[in-house]
Amino acid sequence: WFWEPFHSFAFTVLALFIIPAIFAYIIGVAMFKRRVGGVYFAIITQAVAAILTILIIGQQGYTGGVNGITDLRTLNGWDIRTDEAKYVLYFINGLLFGAIFASRYVVKSKLGRLLVAMREREDRVRFSGYDVSNFKIFIFCLAAAISAVGGAMFTLQVGFMSPSFVGIVPSIEMVIFCAVGGRLSILGAIYGTLIVNFAKTTFSESFPELWLFAMGALFIGVVMAFPNGIAGVYQSHI
């Protein structure tokens, strides 16, 4: 019954933004209002990811279990399996640029300056009279909505969604993307994603038994040599 509303394309698009934001709001209020941060924030978010994975696998009748939701063929009556559809979806993924521009707008705004100040000296922002928790909740919800768009487009591209894409390992991979690309740069996350995934493909094909060690060495090497990631090297020269 809960899949029925998603037969409406308009409802699906709205739910794509609203449902993840609601879950992020609930989690954000539970943590940020109690000033949970740092390593404890990471532990709780990873625990939530693990719970979702177990829930998805356990509810096989509704979610497909370990196999996930497979054999996705159409979008609002449009066959997404054709070559033409793949090309169209590829260029629709220009939504990435929309996410970049929106993120840059936030960073350059007064809200963005407050977020940077919170990152550097959270107590000073709090003592200045700002409710730090509300800003954290907002940006957490915005990040959830942007991530949901990425997940939806990924599902349309590959034609299925597996619980292996939800959990601790994918979350750690995304942290590595930011660390390699540069955690202080929006574009750095994109650089990191492209570099790490290219390295993963190359290493897994050339060294199938050692590629995980190679990935670990790449991560450690970049972090030690470039503390601010690849983007930090570029920014230091401009």
Side-chain angles (χ1 to χ4, degrees):
W1 61 267
F2 56 83
W3 287 120
E4 288 300 321
F6 291 93
H7 289 291
S8 168
F9 181 73
F11 176 85
T12 302
V13 172
L14 289 175
L16 176 64
F17 295 94
I18 295 173
I19 293 178
I22 290 175
F23 277 102
Y25 178 79
I26 294 172
I27 297 171
V29 168
M31 289 192 294
F32 298 135
K33 288 295 184 181
R34 292 169 175 77
R35 299 188 183 181
V36 175
V39 66
Y40 299 104
F41 172 78
I43 291 173
I44 291 175
T45 52
Q46 295 304 316
V48 171
I51 291 170
L52 285 175
T53 304
I54 295 170
L55 180 63
I56 292 171
I57 294 175
Q59 300 298 317
Q60 184 170 352
Y62 302 109
T63 62
V66 177
N67 295 325
I69 302 172
T70 60
D71 200 25
L72 297 176
R73 301 180 181 182
T74 61
L75 171 65
N76 199 32
W78 177 47
D79 190 346
I80 61 174
R81 298 171 299 171
T82 64
D83 291 338
E84 179 185 0
K86 296 296 183 184
Y87 282 119
V88 172
L89 288 172
Y90 176 82
F91 287 105
I92 288 178
N93 276 330
L95 290 170
L96 170 64
F97 295 102
I100 294 172
F101 292 140
S103 301
R104 291 287 295 177
Y105 176 79
V106 171
V107 170
K108 295 298 183 181
S109 67
K110 181 180 179 181
L111 170 62
R113 292 194 292 272
L114 282 170
L115 292 172
V116 172
M118 287 162 47
R119 182 191 68 200
E120 301 298 333
R121 292 290 186 272
E122 182 177 320
D123 287 339
R124 288 189 180 182
V125 178
R126 183 178 290 109
F127 295 152
S128 298
Y130 292 99
D131 190 339
V132 170
S133 61
N134 286 338
F135 293 112
K136 286 186 174 182
I137 292 169
F138 169 77
I139 205 67
F140 194 52
C141 292
L142 178 62
I146 293 176
S147 300
V149 175
M153 295 308 301
F154 178 85
T155 303
L156 292 176
Q157 284 282 6
V158 301
F160 74 99
M161 177 52 66
S162 168
S164 62
F165 302 137
V166 182
I168 295 175
V169 174
S171 298
I172 294 174
E173 282 189 348
M174 293 177 192
V175 172
I176 293 175
F177 296 161
C178 294
V180 171
R183 65 183 182 86
L184 303 181
S185 168
I186 294 173
L187 291 177
I190 301 173
Y191 301 152
T193 302
L194 295 174
I195 292 171
V196 172
N197 279 288
F198 175 78
K200 182 193 296 185
T201 301
T202 303
F203 292 152
S204 61
E205 291 177 352
S206 303
F207 312 101
E209 297 181 356
L210 301 174
W211 73 274
L212 286 175
F213 295 99
M215 289 295 295
L218 171 67
F219 174 55
I220 295 172
V222 169
V223 171
M224 292 183 65
F226 312 110
N228 292 326
I230 304 299
V233 177
Y234 169 76
Q235 292 174 346
S236 65
H237 289 84
I238 61 174

